[in-house]
Amino acid sequence: MDYYLIYMSKATNALNENQLNELLTVSRAWNNNHGITGKLVYVAGEFREDFDARFMQVLEGSEYEVKRIFENIAADPRHYDVTVLTEGPRSQRNFSDWSLKFETFDLEAHPELIEFFHLDKSVITSQEFEEGEFALNFLKSF
């Protein structure tokens, strides 16, 4: 049985293309060596009055390896307010072909999702959010 964890966080600073590529190179190598698959989404856009950025990621693998890498990720100074959206056992992986699939998401093109990316606790802890697998479905949608 595999395990998965989905988290979202706020970027300390907006990352440029070179910084994102460096992050992906290191992360993909680590994931390949530890049986981790998943997807990372870098969300760019204006969340309030200032430009801001978010990360959203799903990690899949053995429970031990997923929790191990998540501890390292949570301590990374490139982001803060790391919030686990959902986690648990899964009968199969959703991103088994990817050591780390990567996408960018422009929030200005999807203003209806602004409240979700504010990390509004009332939204992410709602029964509808948890039962509907919103986070996983969002990650799988593109």
Side-chain angles (χ1 to χ4, degrees):
M1 173 88 43
D2 284 313
Y3 193 83
Y4 82 111
L5 183 146
I6 301 174
Y7 75 88
M8 193 162 42
S9 63
K10 298 176 183 177
T12 305
N13 297 298
L15 299 180
N16 63 37
E17 188 174 339
N18 288 338
Q19 292 167 317
L20 287 169
N21 285 332
E22 180 182 325
L23 171 68
L24 291 170
T25 299
V26 171
S27 299
R28 286 175 174 150
W30 198 97
N31 287 358
N32 278 330
N33 290 331
H34 293 90
I36 298 290
T37 57
K39 182 175 185 178
L40 174 65
V41 176
Y42 182 71
V43 182
E46 190 173 305
F47 291 88
R48 297 259 187 231
E49 296 172 2
D50 298 320
F51 177 83
D52 219 341
R54 304 283 192 265
F55 293 101
M56 186 173 182
Q57 184 172 15
V58 59
L59 302 163
E60 304 171 319
S62 73
E63 183 174 357
Y64 172 79
E65 291 293 353
V66 167
K67 288 182 175 184
R68 180 176 167 204
I69 189 56
F70 180 69
E71 285 181 21
N72 293 338
I73 290 169
D76 190 313
R78 290 175 285 201
H79 64 161
Y80 65 100
D81 201 6
V82 179
T83 303
V84 174
L85 301 176
T86 186
E87 66 180 307
R90 274 303 233 227
S91 59
Q92 66 181 32
R93 297 182 187 204
N94 288 286
F95 300 95
S96 59
D97 295 336
W98 298 92
S99 63
L100 185 58
K101 185 175 183 181
F102 176 73
E103 300 283 346
T104 57
F105 183 81
D106 183 357
L107 193 57
E108 291 177 13
H110 301 279
E112 70 278 8
L113 296 175
I114 287 175
E115 288 307 312
F116 172 71
F117 287 106
H118 278 301
L119 291 173
D120 183 318
K121 302 294 186 208
S122 66
V123 172
I124 63 177
T125 58
S126 70
Q127 184 176 2
E128 178 182 326
F129 179 86
E130 290 180 9
E131 290 177 0
E133 293 191 333
F134 178 84
L136 181 59
N137 290 333
F138 170 76
L139 289 165
K140 289 170 39 178
S141 69
F142 56 99

